[in-house]
Amino acid sequence: MSIVDAAAGVFCREGFAGANIDLIAAEAGVSRQTVYNHHRDKEKLFIAVVRDLTERCNAGIFATIATFPDQPGDLEADLIGFAVRLNQNCICNRDGKFLRKLIQTEGERYPELFAEWREQGPGRTWPAIAARFARLAYGGHFTIDDPDVAARQFLGLVNAELQATFMLGGTPREDEVVQSATNGVRTFLRAFGKRPSPTGVKKHTALANA
Amino acid sequence: MSIVDAAAGVFCREGFAGANIDLIAAEAGVSRQTVYNHHRDKEKLFIAVVRDLTERCNAGIFATIATFPDQPGDLEADLIGFAVRLNQNCICNRDGKFLRKLIQTEGERYPELFAEWREQGPGRTWPAIAARFARLAYGGHFTIDDPDVAARQFLGLVNAELQATFMLGGTPREDEVVQSATNGVRTFLRAFGKRPSPTGVKKHTALANA
DNA sequence: GACGATTTGGACAAGAGTGTCTAAATTTGT
DNA sequence: ACAAATTTAGACACTCTTGTCCAAATCGTC
């Protein structure tokens, strides 16, 4: 395991103040001196960790956004699949979990660093998702007023049932992710879908592959 | 300011490891020895802080749930008012912000303590809100399949636009809270409201008083 | 095989924080 | 006003951590 990977784990578990360089070195399988050789001090190491995580997470999110169903066959199933991929590949994986925790934990201590994240992360990914929704709406699959609002509400809905787990830093099981996404997408489509389908519930299988 | 209040602030800012007892004593306006007299050690003090916050937050949430509109005049405006009260009085205030941060930061270090929170917090408040929604549905104001899912989605929707702010430990402005609640409730009612109102947008003022 | 670069382990100084102790000062109740 | 309880300031031992220094060992490359 690389030094920054090991450091990410320790910083997440112990917080910045509680993180021990000796422990990081041990988990990385190198000597303490090597840690200091590569990264001048604890703070520089921390910054390197956040930058690394932000970069990797963003790459994953954009790769997943590229799989957005622009020409859906079954709109409900396709959106559920997209939501599940987004969660499993970007938010629930190791990088996503770590980055989320570091932002929550140390966000106030490094305003510039996390302002940067905010711009590069939600500031770029949310509009990208909104654009995909706008396209679907333009194609006649939706009736939405504001694509940006719709995108944020989509994310809020498909994660609605995972909040408590995220709070405690846990990782939801795959079936919980699928369940939350399924319920969220159904509500989303009841609100914005073309046919205001009544209570009728169709049976669909979520495609959870990458 | 009491010792636990001061400790709450310092634990939140600095994390458990980074929190300094001298600083807590100074902010509480007492000597360090007094802190040790009241709470045997740092860990006991931390536990007292979390218990205190959990208790106060729960009281606030249940007080707010008591204002749920059981017999709504204007359903949309009443739900927006409820959502705004919930956010302003329970989630965005000092106690809510601190409890959220402590759970995110130290949740993994004290599993029993935060399992307790989970039972006393979401475990009791979510069903309570769900029961109110079930009552509205039974009264013919809604068409919902599962009140529990609907309650979680309601919370997810009205907070959808505040996520990034919560992440960084910030406090959203009142108008942001109202905006998010308004958009969320409108979408919620488009999905579950009795009359599947089209894109039509009515003008309503959110009652944001306590 | 030899040479330069990197890594290693261990020692080290400096600083910070926890928790204890004690005697003096202050508050509280009566 | 007095006695008991509490609070205070300061010193203290102890532990832990950071960051530096250095000589020996290891590695990579030619």
Side-chain angles (χ1 to χ4, degrees), chain B residues 15-27:
Chain B
F16 179 82
N20 182 315
I21 303 266
D22 286 356
L23 183 57
I24 292 173
E27 288 201 12

Side-chain angles (χ1 to χ4, degrees), chain A residues 62-165:
Chain A
F62 278 108
T64 303
I65 289 178
T67 72
F68 188 91
D70 283 313
Q71 281 141 7
D74 183 331
L75 185 57
E76 180 176 305
D78 289 348
L79 282 179
I80 292 172
F82 173 71
V84 170
R85 283 195 298 277
L86 203 57
N87 257 327
Q88 295 288 38
N89 299 340
C90 311
I91 300 178
C92 298
N93 68 354
R94 186 186 140 97
D95 289 343
K97 180 181 165 182
F98 282 2
L99 181 57
R100 203 167 350 111
K101 179 128 190 214
L102 288 183
I103 288 166
Q104 292 167 344
T105 304
E106 312 292 343
E108 283 162 302
R109 194 188 311 277
Y110 298 92
E112 349 63 48
L113 189 55
F114 290 100
E116 185 186 322
W117 163 81
R118 197 173 180 162
E119 288 164 23
Q120 300 300 314
R124 285 173 62 210
T125 58
W126 286 6
I129 296 175
R132 298 305 186 112
F133 276 118
R135 189 166 178 164
L136 278 188
Y138 186 71
H141 298 86
F142 283 148
T143 305
I144 56 179
D145 301 321
D146 183 334
D148 292 300
V149 171
R152 289 193 292 266
Q153 291 186 336
F154 178 82
L155 295 175
L157 277 172
V158 300
N159 287 322
E161 320 205 354
L162 310 175
Q163 288 302 326
T165 305

Side-chain angles (χ1 to χ4, degrees), chain B residues 5-50:
Chain B
D5 283 337
V10 176
F11 278 133
C12 280
R13 280 209 312 278
E14 315 290 343
F16 179 82
N20 182 315
I21 303 266
D22 286 356
L23 183 57
I24 292 173
E27 288 201 12
V30 299
S31 73
R32 178 177 60 236
Q33 188 59 28
T34 302
V35 176
Y36 281 105
N37 286 345
H38 287 41
H39 313 271
R40 178 154 297 283
D41 59 25
K42 195 176 178 181
E43 186 166 322
K44 300 271 194 315
L45 174 59
F46 178 77
I47 289 173
V49 166
V50 175

Side-chain angles (χ1 to χ4, degrees), chain B residues 180-199:
Chain B
S180 185
T182 302
N183 290 336
V185 166
R186 287 204 178 130
T187 296
F188 187 81
L189 288 181
R190 278 176 74 145
F192 298 119
K194 251 311 180 212
R195 301 157 305 129
S197 70
T199 321

